[in-house]
Tab-separated table of all heavy atoms in Angstrom:
chain	number	residue	atom	x	y	z
U	1	GLY	N	-5.838	4.112	10.205
U	1	GLY	CA	-6.817	3.395	9.410
U	1	GLY	C	-7.634	4.279	8.493
U	1	GLY	O	-7.730	5.490	8.692
U	2	TRP	N	-8.191	3.646	7.491
U	2	TRP	CA	-9.139	4.282	6.591
U	2	TRP	C	-10.515	3.677	6.842
U	2	TRP	O	-10.647	2.461	7.019
U	2	TRP	CB	-8.751	4.088	5.127
U	2	TRP	CG	-7.658	5.000	4.671
U	2	TRP	CD1	-6.326	4.726	4.615
U	2	TRP	CD2	-7.817	6.343	4.191
U	2	TRP	NE1	-5.639	5.814	4.127
U	2	TRP	CE2	-6.531	6.819	3.863
U	2	TRP	CE3	-8.910	7.188	4.001
U	2	TRP	CZ2	-6.321	8.106	3.360
U	2	TRP	CZ3	-8.693	8.462	3.504
U	2	TRP	CH2	-7.409	8.905	3.188
U	3	PHE	N	-11.513	4.534	6.827
U	3	PHE	CA	-12.891	4.145	7.035
U	3	PHE	C	-13.729	4.748	5.917
U	3	PHE	O	-13.301	5.675	5.248
U	3	PHE	CB	-13.397	4.655	8.393
U	3	PHE	CG	-12.520	4.265	9.548
U	3	PHE	CD1	-11.335	4.945	9.804
U	3	PHE	CD2	-12.875	3.224	10.388
U	3	PHE	CE1	-10.517	4.599	10.868
U	3	PHE	CE2	-12.071	2.862	11.458
U	3	PHE	CZ	-10.894	3.541	11.693
U	4	ARG	N	-14.916	4.242	5.712
U	4	ARG	CA	-15.787	4.830	4.713
U	4	ARG	C	-17.235	4.746	5.159
U	4	ARG	O	-17.617	3.880	5.937
U	4	ARG	CB	-15.614	4.154	3.346
U	4	ARG	CG	-16.079	2.704	3.273
U	4	ARG	CD	-15.721	2.105	1.924
U	4	ARG	NE	-16.188	0.737	1.791
U	4	ARG	CZ	-15.901	-0.055	0.761
U	4	ARG	NH1	-15.148	0.400	-0.239
U	4	ARG	NH2	-16.369	-1.298	0.713
U	5	GLN	N	-18.014	5.673	4.637
U	5	GLN	CA	-19.429	5.719	4.969
U	5	GLN	C	-20.229	6.057	3.719
U	5	GLN	O	-20.065	7.126	3.135
U	5	GLN	CB	-19.700	6.746	6.067
U	5	GLN	CG	-21.134	6.741	6.562
U	5	GLN	CD	-21.326	7.569	7.820
U	5	GLN	OE1	-20.507	8.433	8.139
U	5	GLN	NE2	-22.395	7.305	8.547
U	6	ALA	N	-21.073	5.130	3.318
U	6	ALA	CA	-21.964	5.332	2.190
U	6	ALA	C	-23.273	5.935	2.694
U	6	ALA	O	-23.584	5.851	3.891
U	6	ALA	CB	-22.227	4.004	1.480
U	7	PRO	N	-24.050	6.552	1.813
U	7	PRO	CA	-25.328	7.133	2.234
U	7	PRO	C	-26.211	6.131	2.957
U	7	PRO	O	-26.375	4.997	2.511
U	7	PRO	CB	-25.958	7.577	0.913
U	7	PRO	CG	-24.793	7.860	0.025
U	7	PRO	CD	-23.791	6.800	0.375
U	8	ARG	N	-26.753	6.536	4.087
U	8	ARG	CA	-27.649	5.720	4.896
U	8	ARG	C	-26.997	4.448	5.443
U	8	ARG	O	-27.678	3.502	5.827
U	8	ARG	CB	-28.915	5.365	4.099
U	8	ARG	CG	-29.707	6.579	3.637
U	8	ARG	CD	-30.930	6.179	2.835
U	8	ARG	NE	-31.660	7.337	2.350
U	8	ARG	CZ	-32.740	7.284	1.591
U	8	ARG	NH1	-33.235	6.093	1.225
U	8	ARG	NH2	-33.334	8.382	1.189
U	9	LYS	N	-25.686	4.441	5.483
U	9	LYS	CA	-24.957	3.305	6.020
U	9	LYS	C	-24.095	3.747	7.200
U	9	LYS	O	-23.778	4.924	7.350
U	9	LYS	CB	-24.055	2.675	4.952
U	9	LYS	CG	-24.774	2.193	3.712
U	9	LYS	CD	-25.584	0.935	3.978
U	9	LYS	CE	-26.163	0.394	2.685
U	9	LYS	NZ	-26.938	-0.854	2.913
U	10	GLU	N	-23.720	2.800	8.025
U	10	GLU	CA	-22.820	3.081	9.130
U	10	GLU	C	-21.388	3.158	8.624
U	10	GLU	O	-21.039	2.537	7.615
U	10	GLU	CB	-22.927	1.995	10.201
U	10	GLU	CG	-24.267	1.931	10.905
U	10	GLU	CD	-24.538	3.166	11.733
U	10	GLU	OE1	-23.614	3.662	12.409
U	10	GLU	OE2	-25.685	3.645	11.713
U	11	ARG	N	-20.567	3.913	9.317
U	11	ARG	CA	-19.164	3.976	8.972
U	11	ARG	C	-18.530	2.602	9.191
U	11	ARG	O	-18.788	1.951	10.205
U	11	ARG	CB	-18.448	5.025	9.829
U	11	ARG	CG	-16.961	5.172	9.532
U	11	ARG	CD	-16.310	6.200	10.448
U	11	ARG	NE	-16.712	7.564	10.106
U	11	ARG	CZ	-17.420	8.350	10.911
U	11	ARG	NH1	-17.820	7.920	12.089
U	11	ARG	NH2	-17.727	9.581	10.512
U	12	GLU	N	-17.722	2.163	8.239
U	12	GLU	CA	-17.089	0.858	8.341
U	12	GLU	C	-15.581	0.955	8.150
U	12	GLU	O	-15.080	1.840	7.458
U	12	GLU	CB	-17.669	-0.110	7.306
U	12	GLU	CG	-17.398	0.281	5.861
U	12	GLU	CD	-17.849	-0.768	4.858
U	12	GLU	OE1	-18.111	-1.917	5.260
U	12	GLU	OE2	-17.941	-0.434	3.661
U	13	LEU	N	-14.878	0.039	8.766
U	13	LEU	CA	-13.432	-0.022	8.639
U	13	LEU	C	-13.054	-0.599	7.281
U	13	LEU	O	-13.592	-1.624	6.861
U	13	LEU	CB	-12.841	-0.891	9.748
U	13	LEU	CG	-11.325	-1.111	9.716
U	13	LEU	CD1	-10.593	0.200	9.959
U	13	LEU	CD2	-10.929	-2.139	10.763
U	14	VAL	N	-12.128	0.058	6.601
U	14	VAL	CA	-11.659	-0.392	5.299
U	14	VAL	C	-10.303	-1.086	5.418
U	14	VAL	O	-10.103	-2.183	4.900
U	14	VAL	CB	-11.554	0.776	4.303
U	14	VAL	CG1	-10.953	0.316	2.978
U	14	VAL	CG2	-12.927	1.391	4.075
U	15	ALA	N	-9.364	-0.431	6.085
U	15	ALA	CA	-8.018	-0.972	6.208
U	15	ALA	C	-7.283	-0.302	7.353
U	15	ALA	O	-7.566	0.843	7.702
U	15	ALA	CB	-7.234	-0.777	4.906
U	16	THR	N	-6.330	-1.015	7.937
U	16	THR	CA	-5.474	-0.454	8.975
U	16	THR	C	-4.029	-0.843	8.716
U	16	THR	O	-3.751	-1.856	8.075
U	16	THR	CB	-5.848	-0.944	10.387
U	16	THR	OG1	-5.744	-2.365	10.456
U	16	THR	CG2	-7.256	-0.514	10.759
U	17	VAL	N	-3.126	-0.032	9.214
U	17	VAL	CA	-1.702	-0.345	9.176
U	17	VAL	C	-1.109	0.053	10.524
U	17	VAL	O	-1.309	1.172	11.001
U	17	VAL	CB	-0.978	0.362	8.005
U	17	VAL	CG1	-1.175	1.873	8.049
U	17	VAL	CG2	0.502	0.010	8.006
U	18	THR	N	-0.401	-0.866	11.164
U	18	THR	CA	0.188	-0.598	12.465
U	18	THR	C	1.515	0.121	12.320
U	18	THR	O	2.060	0.262	11.228
U	18	THR	CB	0.408	-1.896	13.255
U	18	THR	OG1	1.428	-2.670	12.607
U	18	THR	CG2	-0.871	-2.717	13.340
U	19	SER	N	2.039	0.572	13.459
U	19	SER	CA	3.333	1.242	13.456
U	19	SER	C	4.448	0.311	12.984
U	19	SER	O	5.480	0.778	12.510
U	19	SER	CB	3.657	1.770	14.853
U	19	SER	OG	3.675	0.724	15.808
U	20	GLY	N	4.222	-0.993	13.119
U	20	GLY	CA	5.190	-1.975	12.664
U	20	GLY	C	5.019	-2.398	11.226
U	20	GLY	O	5.794	-3.220	10.722
U	21	GLY	N	4.001	-1.858	10.557
U	21	GLY	CA	3.799	-2.155	9.153
U	21	GLY	C	2.825	-3.280	8.850
U	21	GLY	O	2.633	-3.626	7.679
U	22	ASN	N	2.216	-3.860	9.867
U	22	ASN	CA	1.230	-4.906	9.624
U	22	ASN	C	-0.069	-4.299	9.114
U	22	ASN	O	-0.523	-3.273	9.618
U	22	ASN	CB	0.960	-5.695	10.904
U	22	ASN	CG	2.165	-6.484	11.359
U	22	ASN	OD1	2.894	-7.047	10.550
U	22	ASN	ND2	2.381	-6.528	12.670
U	23	THR	N	-0.664	-4.931	8.128
U	23	THR	CA	-1.889	-4.418	7.526
U	23	THR	C	-3.048	-5.381	7.694
U	23	THR	O	-2.866	-6.590	7.837
U	23	THR	CB	-1.694	-4.131	6.031
U	23	THR	OG1	-1.281	-5.333	5.363
U	23	THR	CG2	-0.636	-3.061	5.824
U	24	ASN	N	-4.248	-4.813	7.656
U	24	ASN	CA	-5.465	-5.603	7.734
U	24	ASN	C	-6.511	-4.929	6.860
U	24	ASN	O	-6.593	-3.700	6.832
U	24	ASN	CB	-5.957	-5.706	9.176
U	24	ASN	CG	-7.069	-6.720	9.332
U	24	ASN	OD1	-6.920	-7.875	8.975
U	24	ASN	ND2	-8.199	-6.284	9.874
U	25	TYR	N	-7.296	-5.745	6.147
U	25	TYR	CA	-8.269	-5.207	5.210
U	25	TYR	C	-9.636	-5.849	5.388
U	25	TYR	O	-9.753	-7.017	5.759
U	25	TYR	CB	-7.825	-5.446	3.772
U	25	TYR	CG	-6.521	-4.793	3.404
U	25	TYR	CD1	-5.314	-5.463	3.569
U	25	TYR	CD2	-6.496	-3.494	2.895
U	25	TYR	CE1	-4.112	-4.858	3.234
U	25	TYR	CE2	-5.301	-2.884	2.559
U	25	TYR	CZ	-4.112	-3.573	2.730
U	25	TYR	OH	-2.921	-2.966	2.395
U	26	ALA	N	-10.653	-5.069	5.096
U	26	ALA	CA	-11.991	-5.626	5.030
U	26	ALA	C	-12.043	-6.608	3.867
U	26	ALA	O	-11.368	-6.422	2.852
U	26	ALA	CB	-13.020	-4.515	4.830
U	27	ASP	N	-12.839	-7.650	4.014
U	27	ASP	CA	-12.935	-8.661	2.961
U	27	ASP	C	-13.330	-8.057	1.611
U	27	ASP	O	-12.888	-8.521	0.562
U	27	ASP	CB	-13.944	-9.742	3.350
U	27	ASP	CG	-13.444	-10.648	4.454
U	27	ASP	OD1	-12.222	-10.701	4.688
U	27	ASP	OD2	-14.281	-11.311	5.090
U	28	SER	N	-14.141	-7.030	1.643
U	28	SER	CA	-14.650	-6.437	0.424
U	28	SER	C	-13.588	-5.717	-0.411
U	28	SER	O	-13.810	-5.464	-1.595
U	28	SER	CB	-15.788	-5.462	0.746
U	28	SER	OG	-15.339	-4.431	1.608
U	29	VAL	N	-12.446	-5.402	0.192
U	29	VAL	CA	-11.414	-4.661	-0.533
U	29	VAL	C	-10.100	-5.413	-0.652
U	29	VAL	O	-9.161	-4.913	-1.290
U	29	VAL	CB	-11.154	-3.278	0.105
U	29	VAL	CG1	-12.450	-2.504	0.246
U	29	VAL	CG2	-10.453	-3.420	1.452
U	30	LYS	N	-10.006	-6.589	-0.081
U	30	LYS	CA	-8.769	-7.369	-0.140
U	30	LYS	C	-8.361	-7.631	-1.585
U	30	LYS	O	-9.172	-8.013	-2.414
U	30	LYS	CB	-8.933	-8.696	0.600
U	30	LYS	CG	-8.905	-8.583	2.106
U	30	LYS	CD	-9.035	-9.949	2.772
U	30	LYS	CE	-8.980	-9.829	4.283
U	30	LYS	NZ	-9.160	-11.138	4.953
U	31	GLY	N	-7.084	-7.414	-1.858
U	31	GLY	CA	-6.563	-7.625	-3.194
U	31	GLY	C	-6.721	-6.438	-4.110
U	31	GLY	O	-6.150	-6.422	-5.204
U	32	ARG	N	-7.481	-5.436	-3.684
U	32	ARG	CA	-7.721	-4.266	-4.515
U	32	ARG	C	-7.168	-2.979	-3.911
U	32	ARG	O	-6.753	-2.082	-4.636
U	32	ARG	CB	-9.219	-4.087	-4.770
U	32	ARG	CG	-9.874	-5.275	-5.465
U	32	ARG	CD	-11.311	-4.970	-5.881
U	32	ARG	NE	-12.165	-4.680	-4.723
U	32	ARG	CZ	-12.777	-3.512	-4.513
U	32	ARG	NH1	-12.626	-2.518	-5.385
U	32	ARG	NH2	-13.543	-3.347	-3.446
U	33	PHE	N	-7.177	-2.892	-2.585
U	33	PHE	CA	-6.714	-1.692	-1.884
U	33	PHE	C	-5.408	-1.965	-1.154
U	33	PHE	O	-5.176	-3.080	-0.681
U	33	PHE	CB	-7.745	-1.226	-0.850
U	33	PHE	CG	-9.022	-0.658	-1.416
U	33	PHE	CD1	-9.348	-0.794	-2.754
U	33	PHE	CD2	-9.898	0.016	-0.579
U	33	PHE	CE1	-10.529	-0.272	-3.265
U	33	PHE	CE2	-11.083	0.542	-1.073
U	33	PHE	CZ	-11.401	0.401	-2.415
U	34	THR	N	-4.580	-0.941	-1.042
U	34	THR	CA	-3.341	-1.038	-0.290
U	34	THR	C	-3.187	0.185	0.602
U	34	THR	O	-3.223	1.318	0.120
U	34	THR	CB	-2.121	-1.136	-1.219
U	34	THR	OG1	-2.234	-2.290	-2.059
U	34	THR	CG2	-0.838	-1.257	-0.395
U	35	ILE	N	-3.024	-0.045	1.899
U	35	ILE	CA	-2.819	1.042	2.844
U	35	ILE	C	-1.337	1.132	3.198
U	35	ILE	O	-0.649	0.119	3.289
U	35	ILE	CB	-3.666	0.847	4.124
U	35	ILE	CG1	-3.571	2.079	5.033
U	35	ILE	CG2	-3.256	-0.416	4.870
U	35	ILE	CD1	-4.526	2.032	6.227
U	36	SER	N	-0.862	2.345	3.389
U	36	SER	CA	0.526	2.547	3.782
U	36	SER	C	0.637	3.808	4.626
U	36	SER	O	-0.251	4.660	4.601
U	36	SER	CB	1.442	2.640	2.555
U	36	SER	OG	1.091	3.747	1.741
U	37	ARG	N	1.714	3.923	5.382
U	37	ARG	CA	1.939	5.112	6.197
U	37	ARG	C	3.369	5.574	6.032
U	37	ARG	O	4.299	4.769	5.954
U	37	ARG	CB	1.616	4.848	7.674
U	37	ARG	CG	2.486	3.781	8.338
U	37	ARG	CD	1.920	3.352	9.701
U	37	ARG	NE	2.053	4.374	10.727
U	37	ARG	CZ	1.507	4.275	11.941
U	37	ARG	NH1	0.762	3.224	12.259
U	37	ARG	NH2	1.688	5.258	12.823
U	38	ASP	N	3.547	6.876	5.972
U	38	ASP	CA	4.854	7.493	5.895
U	38	ASP	C	5.001	8.349	7.140
U	38	ASP	O	4.522	9.484	7.184
U	38	ASP	CB	4.989	8.333	4.626
U	38	ASP	CG	6.406	8.839	4.411
U	38	ASP	OD1	7.150	8.988	5.388
U	38	ASP	OD2	6.767	9.094	3.245
U	39	ASN	N	5.635	7.793	8.151
U	39	ASN	CA	5.761	8.499	9.421
U	39	ASN	C	6.548	9.804	9.295
U	39	ASN	O	6.261	10.774	9.997
U	39	ASN	CB	6.424	7.596	10.465
U	39	ASN	CG	5.547	6.433	10.870
U	39	ASN	OD1	4.319	6.498	10.768
U	39	ASN	ND2	6.163	5.356	11.334
U	40	ALA	N	7.531	9.833	8.407
U	40	ALA	CA	8.340	11.035	8.219
U	40	ALA	C	7.509	12.189	7.678
U	40	ALA	O	7.790	13.355	7.958
U	40	ALA	CB	9.514	10.746	7.293
U	41	LYS	N	6.491	11.871	6.897
U	41	LYS	CA	5.622	12.886	6.312
U	41	LYS	C	4.309	13.041	7.064
U	41	LYS	O	3.469	13.854	6.672
U	41	LYS	CB	5.335	12.552	4.845
U	41	LYS	CG	6.561	12.568	3.950
U	41	LYS	CD	6.185	12.234	2.508
U	41	LYS	CE	7.392	12.272	1.598
U	41	LYS	NZ	7.047	11.925	0.196
U	42	ASN	N	4.130	12.252	8.118
U	42	ASN	CA	2.892	12.277	8.901
U	42	ASN	C	1.671	12.087	7.996
U	42	ASN	O	0.662	12.776	8.139
U	42	ASN	CB	2.769	13.584	9.685
U	42	ASN	CG	3.888	13.769	10.684
U	42	ASN	OD1	4.391	12.804	11.261
U	42	ASN	ND2	4.284	15.010	10.913
U	43	THR	N	1.788	11.143	7.094
U	43	THR	CA	0.764	10.934	6.082
U	43	THR	C	0.444	9.456	5.914
U	43	THR	O	1.330	8.605	5.998
U	43	THR	CB	1.208	11.520	4.728
U	43	THR	OG1	1.491	12.917	4.888
U	43	THR	CG2	0.120	11.366	3.678
U	44	VAL	N	-0.827	9.178	5.682
U	44	VAL	CA	-1.304	7.824	5.409
U	44	VAL	C	-1.935	7.817	4.029
U	44	VAL	O	-2.593	8.786	3.637
U	44	VAL	CB	-2.324	7.369	6.462
U	44	VAL	CG1	-2.723	5.917	6.234
U	44	VAL	CG2	-1.757	7.537	7.862
U	45	TYR	N	-1.741	6.738	3.304
U	45	TYR	CA	-2.260	6.641	1.950
U	45	TYR	C	-3.167	5.425	1.794
U	45	TYR	O	-3.048	4.436	2.513
U	45	TYR	CB	-1.123	6.516	0.931
U	45	TYR	CG	-0.114	7.634	0.995
U	45	TYR	CD1	1.067	7.483	1.713
U	45	TYR	CD2	-0.341	8.841	0.342
U	45	TYR	CE1	2.002	8.501	1.781
U	45	TYR	CE2	0.588	9.866	0.404
U	45	TYR	CZ	1.752	9.692	1.120
U	45	TYR	OH	2.679	10.704	1.183
U	46	LEU	N	-4.057	5.515	0.834
U	46	LEU	CA	-4.875	4.379	0.449
U	46	LEU	C	-4.883	4.314	-1.070
U	46	LEU	O	-5.489	5.161	-1.734
U	46	LEU	CB	-6.308	4.496	0.975
U	46	LEU	CG	-7.205	3.281	0.702
U	46	LEU	CD1	-6.714	2.074	1.509
U	46	LEU	CD2	-8.653	3.584	1.053
U	47	GLN	N	-4.186	3.331	-1.617
U	47	GLN	CA	-4.169	3.116	-3.053
U	47	GLN	C	-5.306	2.170	-3.403
U	47	GLN	O	-5.344	1.041	-2.911
U	47	GLN	CB	-2.826	2.530	-3.493
U	47	GLN	CG	-2.722	2.264	-4.989
U	47	GLN	CD	-2.756	3.531	-5.805
U	47	GLN	OE1	-2.010	4.470	-5.538
U	47	GLN	NE2	-3.633	3.583	-6.799
U	48	MET	N	-6.204	2.628	-4.239
U	48	MET	CA	-7.378	1.846	-4.601
U	48	MET	C	-7.336	1.515	-6.092
U	48	MET	O	-7.101	2.395	-6.919
U	48	MET	CB	-8.660	2.612	-4.279
U	48	MET	CG	-8.754	3.096	-2.832
U	48	MET	SD	-10.323	3.933	-2.480
U	48	MET	CE	-10.138	5.385	-3.528
């Protein structure tokens, strides 16, 4: 998952992607952000 923290704010969940490829997004970023994972590269991405 990707999380974010703004000044004087609590850390919040932005998006998650499961090992099976299912994704979930915070309402504030739906339609704008895309999370993905590349297990072969051990890397997670967030396209904003």
Side-chain angles (χ1 to χ4, degrees):
W2 282 96
F3 307 78
R4 67 186 182 186
Q5 186 169 20
R8 300 179 182 178
K9 302 288 186 179
E10 294 294 319
R11 180 182 288 115
E12 65 174 345
L13 177 66
V14 175
T16 60
V17 56
T18 68
S19 59
N22 294 321
T23 58
N24 190 56
Y25 299 90
D27 288 341
S28 59
V29 307
K30 284 182 179 178
R32 301 188 298 117
F33 290 12
T34 301
I35 187 172
S36 62
R37 62 192 289 173
D38 188 334
N39 292 335
K41 296 180 179 179
N42 298 327
T43 302
V44 185
Y45 304 96
L46 185 68
Q47 180 66 51
M48 306 183 294

